[in-house]
Amino acid sequence: DSETKTYEKVLTAGVYYISFERANGTGTYNFKISEPKKSYTISIPQKFNIKRKNKKSLVLTWKKVRGAIGYEIFRSTSKSGKFKKIKTVSNKTRYVDTKLKKRKTYYYKIRSIKKINNKKYYSYFSKIKKG
């Protein structure tokens, strides 16, 4: 195969046959193209806010995402640092993060979770908020 030619065509679902010629003979392959997978849109939690409850705890709130089964909450001690998942909540749009250190700044981001055909899908992350 010193020269390869590429042909591009959009194929629909169905069975296709490819014929080819080789130096030692010819052959035919068949392959099946399946229906394209559906893409699902999962909304990012909106109106994400953080308020101080007391010196050692913060209250995170956000607007409910239609169809979401839960939300994952991530925290970091630096805006560009490594975020760690601290909690997954179901059917809530509020979380109180307790036992925080005094005079320490924390950064949070959240994402929503949907379940479609028994599989979990995640939204993109919200904007990072400082608490």
Side-chain angles (χ1 to χ4, degrees):
D1 262 75
S2 62
E3 186 179 331
T4 303
K5 292 183 181 178
T6 304
Y7 298 94
E8 187 175 326
K9 181 181 178 187
V10 177
L11 302 174
T12 57
V15 177
Y16 292 84
Y17 301 92
I18 297 176
S19 295
F20 61 94
E21 190 172 324
R22 296 187 302 203
N24 61 352
T26 61
T28 301
Y29 282 111
N30 63 2
F31 65 98
K32 185 175 182 178
I33 300 214
S34 301
E35 288 292 337
K37 290 187 177 183
K38 292 180 182 177
S39 65
Y40 299 102
T41 303
I42 302 162
S43 298
I44 298 168
Q46 299 296 312
K47 297 186 179 179
F48 175 40
N49 291 303
I50 300 173
K51 291 184 181 175
R52 184 156 295 282
K53 184 174 181 178
N54 56 45
K55 291 179 181 178
K56 291 187 175 183
S57 63
L58 296 167
V59 179
L60 288 67
T61 58
W62 57 92
K63 188 177 176 187
K64 181 174 176 57
V65 172
R66 186 177 175 176
I69 63 164
Y71 306 89
E72 289 185 335
I73 302 163
F74 291 74
R75 180 179 66 201
S76 176
T77 54
S78 123
K79 189 173 184 175
S80 59
K82 184 175 174 130
F83 280 79
K84 181 180 178 183
K85 182 168 68 169
I86 58 167
K87 188 73 175 175
T88 300
V89 296
S90 301
N91 299 319
K92 293 181 184 179
T93 56
R94 182 177 190 269
Y95 173 72
V96 180
D97 195 8
T98 59
K99 300 178 184 175
L100 302 174
K101 294 181 181 175
K102 293 179 187 178
R103 293 185 284 280
K104 182 102 173 157
T105 303
Y106 295 92
Y107 297 87
Y108 297 86
K109 61 184 180 178
I110 61 174
R111 65 182 178 179
S112 52
I113 309 165
K114 276 192 178 182
K115 200 170 195 180
I116 303 166
N117 297 328
N118 256 354
K119 186 173 179 186
K120 286 184 181 178
Y121 293 89
Y122 302 90
S123 71
Y124 288 109
F125 284 105
S126 66
K127 289 184 180 179
I128 295 169
K129 295 283 184 162
K130 181 167 91 170

